[in-house]
Amino acid sequence: MTDVLAARRAIFVHAHPDDESIANGATMARYAAEGVHVTLVTCTRGEEGEVLVPALEHLAAQHTDELGAHREQELAAAMAELGVEDHRFLGGAGRYRDSGMMGEPTNSRPDCFWQADVDEAAGHLVAVLREVRPQVLATYNANGGYGHPDHIQAHRVAMRAVELSADPTYRPELGEAWLVAKVYESALPRSYMERGLEAMKASGTDFFGVDSVDDFPFVDPDESVTTRVDARAYEPVKMRALAAHATQVTVDGPFFALSNNVGQEAWGYEFYRLVQGRTAAPFDEDGREDGLFNGLE
């Protein structure tokens, strides 16, 4: 159990190591630096991920199947870069296995996260919620951002855990009931992605070979995005955290190309959709609240 004394507390729920740095790395780094108690809960160890480092290809699932243990180390290194000291695996490391991409045979493994009982998995997260007592929780949208089964399941488990945590009749042995005041889904406004893609095209660099924003499954209508966190000062930290996930992210790949060509604007702003609670001032020039804790001070 953790004795959480920080006045502001936030939990981020992700499917695999590296997802947190991609989606919320700058936000997590900014809030950790400001004294917020930041907790990361990762649902799997990412055993089915590709291995982009030739010297480590033997770790892949189709070989020695030791990638999960290696990605635990990568995650620890990334969290050290972000300044996040409280990071955990849902139910403990290895409790739920990476399910692989949608439609793969690995989706049917009985130990994979996609096959997990949602209420059982949510119970593990309820224990963390009642221990840490966060005012804020952030995770994926119902489609998991782009349809990955583990991302979808992480959304389901997170939302169910929020509901169960607030119910005083649910498993009182896990701690006193706790209501999470604000629940967010990660988001990416269409106009923001359009500007980034055009800037990359102008510099002669593409982003995963995509020609149009319409080809991105994870872009959101501007009007659905409620919140923008300005963490531009922590964009370099986010890039270092991404680099720590060396088996999954290459420093000469699209993430770093976007950073190099668009700079802090590319990764220093992170966007969210508030799905539980109320938006609150201060608002930015686009009418979006400018922090996850607005209205909770």
Side-chain angles (χ1 to χ4, degrees):
M1 299 289 286
T2 299
D3 183 15
V4 180
L5 300 177
R8 296 187 296 169
R9 303 173 298 279
I11 284 186
F12 296 82
V13 180
H14 281 284
H16 317 102
D18 83 348
D19 291 329
E20 80 297 324
S21 297
I22 295 169
N24 310 126
T27 300
M28 294 169 70
R30 172 188 156 180
Y31 282 136
E34 291 178 357
V36 175
H37 184 98
V38 176
T39 300
L40 170 67
V41 177
T42 309
C43 298
T44 81
R45 299 190 301 164
E47 294 90 344
E48 297 296 332
E50 295 182 54
V51 179
L52 302 179
V53 180
L56 298 176
E57 287 180 352
H58 64 281
L59 300 175
Q62 68 270 27
H63 299 303
T64 63
D65 197 17
E66 297 175 333
L67 181 58
H70 185 82
R71 292 187 72 179
E72 283 189 56
Q73 298 173 22
E74 291 183 339
L75 180 61
M79 292 303 96
E81 294 289 356
L82 298 182
V84 174
E85 298 180 357
D86 185 6
H87 52 99
R88 315 157 185 225
F89 285 93
L90 186 68
R95 174 63 181 85
Y96 298 107
R97 184 180 174 91
D98 183 354
S99 306
M101 299 298 289
M102 188 67 82
E104 294 293 324
T106 49
N107 297 170
S108 300
R109 286 185 56 137
D111 59 344
C112 80
F113 192 45
W114 185 239
Q115 294 295 330
D117 179 85
V118 170
D119 277 6
E120 178 190 32
H124 295 305
L125 186 53
V126 168
V128 181
L129 294 178
R130 289 182 176 177
E131 173 194 340
V132 176
R133 306 185 304 282
Q135 298 98 336
V136 168
L137 180 146
T139 189
Y140 313 101
N141 63 20
N143 189 46
Y146 67 101
H148 192 294
D150 288 337
H151 289 228
I152 295 170
Q153 189 78 318
H155 168 86
R156 293 172 178 170
V157 168
M159 298 307 292
R160 182 62 170 149
V162 167
E163 177 185 1
L164 293 173
S165 176
D167 181 357
T169 67
Y170 175 76
R171 298 189 62 182
E173 74 276 12
L174 296 180
E176 185 179 353
W178 178 259
L179 174 65
V180 181
K182 300 181 81 173
V183 178
Y184 289 93
E185 298 171 350
S186 292
L188 186 61
R190 179 185 177 88
S191 63
Y192 183 75
M193 197 63 208
E194 284 176 339
R195 291 196 299 273
L197 191 58
E198 288 305 314
M200 290 193 70
K201 286 181 181 179
S203 70
T205 307
D206 70 0
F207 188 74
F208 294 107
V210 171
D211 183 61
S212 168
V213 171
D214 293 330
D215 296 327
F216 288 118
F218 47 78
V219 173
D220 299 284
D222 280 33
E223 61 273 15
S224 72
V225 180
T226 63
T227 309
R228 182 185 74 174
V229 174
D230 183 350
R232 286 174 292 175
Y234 298 93
E235 184 264 351
V237 178
K238 174 171 179 162
M239 292 299 105
R240 292 198 299 271
L242 277 170
H245 293 288
T247 62
Q248 308 301 305
V249 182
T250 58
V251 295
D252 58 350
F255 291 111
F256 289 88
L258 183 58
S259 178
N260 292 336
N261 286 299
V262 190
Q264 292 180 331
E265 298 292 324
W267 293 115
Y269 287 120
E270 290 176 342
F271 297 87
Y272 301 85
R273 178 185 302 103
L274 183 66
V275 294
Q276 178 171 301
R278 295 183 179 182
T279 58
F283 297 100
D284 66 16
E285 65 275 11
D286 295 319
R288 297 186 177 114
E289 61 175 359
D290 68 0
L292 304 185
F293 290 90
N294 288 23
L296 301 178
E297 304 300 338

